[in-house]
Amino acid sequence: MSAEATNPEAHPEARPELRRRGRSRIDLRRLGRAALLGPTSRDRLPDAIGHVAEAHRAHHPDADMSILRRAYLLAESSHRGQMRKSGEPYITHPLAVTLILAELGAETTTLTASLLHDTVEDTDVTLDQVRAEFGDEVCFIVDGVTKVEKIDYGAAAEPETFRKMLVATGNDVRVMSIKLADRLHNMRTLGVMRPEKQARIAKVTRDVLIPLAERLGVQALKTELEDLVFAILHPEEYESTRALIAAHAGERDPLPGIADSVRTVLREAGISAEVQVRPRHFVSVHRIARQRGELRGSDFGRILVLVGENADCYGVLGELHTCFTPVVSEFKDFIATPKFNLYQSLHTAVATPEGYVAEVIVRTRQMHRVAEAGVVALGNPYATATPDATADPDEERVDPTRPGWLSRLLDWQQSAPDPDTFWTVLRAELAQDREITVFRADGGTLGLPAGASCIDAAYAQHGEAAHGCIGARVNGRLTSLSSALSDGDTVQLLLAQDASSGPAAEWLDHARTPAARIAISSWLEAHPDRAMATTTAARAPLSVVGARGGGANAVADLPDATVRLAGCCTPVPPDAVAGFLVRGGAVTVHRIHCAAVAQMRAVGRTSVAVHWRATADCRVTLLAESFGRPHLLADLTEAIAHEGVEVVSATVEPPVEGRVRHTYTLQLPDAAGLPALMRAMRDVPGVYDVSRA
């Protein structure tokens, strides 16, 4: 089933692979009427699932069909006498759902569970019977689908509805595959329901099921669901788009000619490739029309090039950009940087001499299969796992193919404090359309949504311990926690040793992941006094002044002159210094390399020779750069006192993006102790730099 070709008959050349297999394309929309087509012998498949068997063998030639025969016979006998609202025998529904999955390449276990997915809920068949007849794996999937089927889709129940759906999907992604195929067939036959019920089901499909199909990479289901929802919720725009496509069908289509030119170019270059024309589906045409206004013939489809190896994709790209005029702004490399839903392809656009611009997608055949079917194409993710007979059937299983976004949702949904918070954050998470991977300092990786900050990385790696995060190094450089991360960054998170440390309220402005936002909000609610303190805006700098201020220990060769140590460079023994006479007869002393020395000489200030007294004590001003955290001023002051140094004055500036600057004027008993003092201050957790003022 094509992810884009809503009307494939308009472009028969778009499906040459089906002709090579020697079979015609199955019309999935009419399959539901292909029920019980007569008796069958015990040694062959019933005629009613002949299409399913044919589609399954196309992807899995060696598959054992006997289990499908047994599943069909159980489903047919269980549903016998039941009818759909459309008037068809109920067995036509599981048959249609199973064929949709078979066309996508689902493995036998998924198809077996699909045939039986309504038996436990709607008939007398029990899970124990399913387990005894078909094994634990099929039983597990059927049970998961049954739990999803019992969900109430009413507006008031939406949050808990989708919480259950996420858990079922997390337990086995094949559960959601069956649910999506089930919803697709129901949407195809929705015409028998009242308009208001059609609209309600279509809205649920639009808000959650289509984003989940996108996240799972099942584009073939997602695009058709989009068209069906479009027709129900926006009938006028749908009709307008349908008329636009119908009008185009009667005109000359330039895409087949462009495809022939591409085939010729690749053949001459010695690249073995299959070139197809892929018509856009209705919603895609509608979006393009809104973006570009009047559409040209090449806007109604795209060219798909399928090759054997990854390297061939870039070879094709080189030939296209050499022999055609490339549209550079349209190039995207999803092979080097795959999308979060497993999608890989090269996207480009080329202009022809006739003035047409054609979009081209280049991918391998395996990439194409995954692009169409997503997680369905991955088969059984638990095939290599050793079954545990003692495992709790309700316990979550580890899925080696589980996407990072799904793992994140499963992690935070358990701690969501209330349904409204869960619902708000779920919709925000599903709205994310890109994911990045960042590397941890220990060599591991973190999957995060695009736009995530160091705060998100902290909670993804450390959980609630991230409350004590005081800073981060990104690619080796110190940065604030609010800094946004990019794909491929290496992040090292710095945690405070103080267990009482907590997040600031402004962290919520930079947190993008549900786990981070929920954890921060919960901590702030539990510590309202601390939360209030962290939100105090633009407070004045805090100053602490010592009990006495010692005199300068520099002597000028000018009798009775007052000597002042310059605050710009704070010289201390044994620094090389220079003195200059300023207004009031005072002499200011600078380090010889201070920028002010050149300025003094340039304006003609009188130079005065100065030297240090024999005493070893001195006064110095130090700047301590740190990440903001509680008790930092107290810890720094304690470290200074431990070195036997007196604090003359201290100033703490308001935090800026989580960083704080402390300015200390200190009286040292011995200038030789200055390096040790600066090291002691740097060792205080949260301090990342100490320098002379």
Side-chain angles (χ1 to χ4, degrees), residues 142-488:
V142 170
D143 185 34
V145 177
T146 300
K147 290 175 180 177
V148 174
E149 292 293 339
K150 290 179 179 179
I151 287 172
D152 176 13
Y153 283 96
E158 279 180 338
E160 291 308 312
T161 288
F162 298 119
R163 191 192 295 267
K164 294 176 184 177
M165 183 178 294
L166 279 177
V167 173
T169 303
N171 285 342
D172 196 318
V173 292
R174 293 172 292 181
V175 170
M176 185 51 63
S177 300
I178 295 174
K179 179 59 188 173
L180 289 171
D182 174 85
R183 176 51 61 95
L184 176 57
H185 184 247
N186 285 336
M187 289 291 295
R188 289 172 177 173
T189 57
L190 209 58
V192 299
M193 295 186 176
R194 299 187 309 275
E196 58 272 19
K197 190 168 185 180
Q198 291 184 35
R200 181 173 65 82
I201 295 175
K203 287 177 181 177
V204 172
T205 303
R206 176 197 63 193
D207 292 343
V208 175
L209 292 176
I210 287 176
L212 281 174
E214 169 76 11
R215 288 302 185 95
L216 295 172
V218 195
Q219 295 296 318
L221 301 185
K222 178 237 180 186
T223 51
E224 188 175 346
L225 284 171
E226 279 186 328
D227 283 350
L228 293 167
V229 168
F230 184 41
I232 292 172
L233 298 182
H234 306 282
E236 294 181 359
E237 294 179 355
Y238 177 83
E239 285 300 322
S240 175
T241 305
R242 189 180 64 81
L244 197 62
I245 294 174
H248 165 69
E251 301 174 353
R252 177 184 173 274
D253 189 346
L255 286 177
I258 299 174
D260 287 338
S261 299
V262 172
R263 290 188 190 99
T264 301
V265 167
L266 299 182
R267 184 169 58 250
E268 292 176 352
I271 299 176
S272 176
E274 181 181 331
V275 182
Q276 304 176 12
V277 174
R278 302 268 290 179
R280 294 183 184 274
H281 63 105
F282 281 72
V283 171
S284 180
V285 171
H286 175 68
R287 289 172 182 158
I288 293 295
R290 294 185 63 181
Q291 293 171 4
R292 303 178 185 175
E294 184 177 354
L295 298 183
R296 305 189 64 186
S298 58
D299 292 330
F300 286 86
R302 295 190 285 189
I303 293 175
L304 174 65
V305 180
L306 299 179
V307 294
E309 303 293 338
N310 286 19
D312 294 335
C313 294
Y314 294 96
V316 169
L317 184 70
E319 293 298 326
L320 290 175
H321 285 189
T322 300
C323 300
F324 299 91
T325 303
V327 181
V328 179
S329 61
E330 295 295 323
F331 173 68
K332 297 180 181 68
D333 187 347
F334 294 118
I335 295 178
T337 55
K339 289 187 177 182
F340 60 87
N341 59 0
L342 312 175
Y343 180 88
Q344 288 183 286
S345 291
L346 295 177
H347 287 215
T348 189
V350 295
T352 68
E354 295 79 16
Y356 292 108
V357 175
E359 294 185 33
V360 184
I361 301 173
V362 185
R363 59 176 70 135
T364 66
R365 290 176 178 82
Q366 174 60 21
M367 291 176 190
H368 179 60
R369 184 183 172 209
V370 175
E372 295 284 280
V375 295
V376 178
L378 299 178
N380 180 1
Y382 315 99
T384 58
T386 303
D388 184 359
T390 64
D392 184 348
D394 292 328
E395 184 178 350
E396 181 182 327
R397 299 187 295 180
V398 177
D399 183 349
T401 68
R402 177 186 292 167
W405 63 267
L406 181 54
S407 294
R408 290 199 305 274
L409 288 180
L410 290 169
D411 288 341
W412 68 258
Q413 63 85 24
Q414 297 179 356
S415 58
D418 57 78
D420 289 338
T421 299
F422 168 79
W423 181 233
T424 300
V425 179
L426 172 64
R427 288 185 296 179
E429 174 72 11
L430 289 178
Q432 298 283 348
D433 61 354
R434 197 165 65 85
E435 189 170 86
I436 62 172
T437 299
V438 298
F439 296 93
R440 301 182 342 202
D442 60 7
T445 61
L446 297 172
L448 298 168
S453 66
C454 295
I455 294 171
D456 299 300
Y459 282 95
Q461 179 173 349
H462 297 294
E464 291 190 358
H467 292 331
C469 194
I470 55 176
R473 293 181 184 270
V474 177
N475 302 325
R477 300 185 63 181
L478 284 163
T479 186
S480 64
L481 287 175
S482 62
S483 298
L485 297 169
S486 299
D487 198 41

Side-chain angles (χ1 to χ4, degrees), residues 655-674:
V656 177
E657 293 189 347
R659 288 182 286 188
V660 182
R661 171 179 284 191
H662 303 248
T663 304
Y664 292 93
T665 299
L666 307 171
Q667 188 73 27
L668 278 71
D670 188 343
L674 181 58

Side-chain angles (χ1 to χ4, degrees), residues 540-580:
L542 171 65
S543 297
V544 180
V545 181
R548 72 173 184 87
N553 55 352
V555 179
D557 292 345
L558 189 66
D560 300 324
T562 301
V563 178
R564 294 200 300 253
L565 299 181
C568 56
C569 57
T570 59
V572 297
D575 291 341
V577 292
F580 295 92

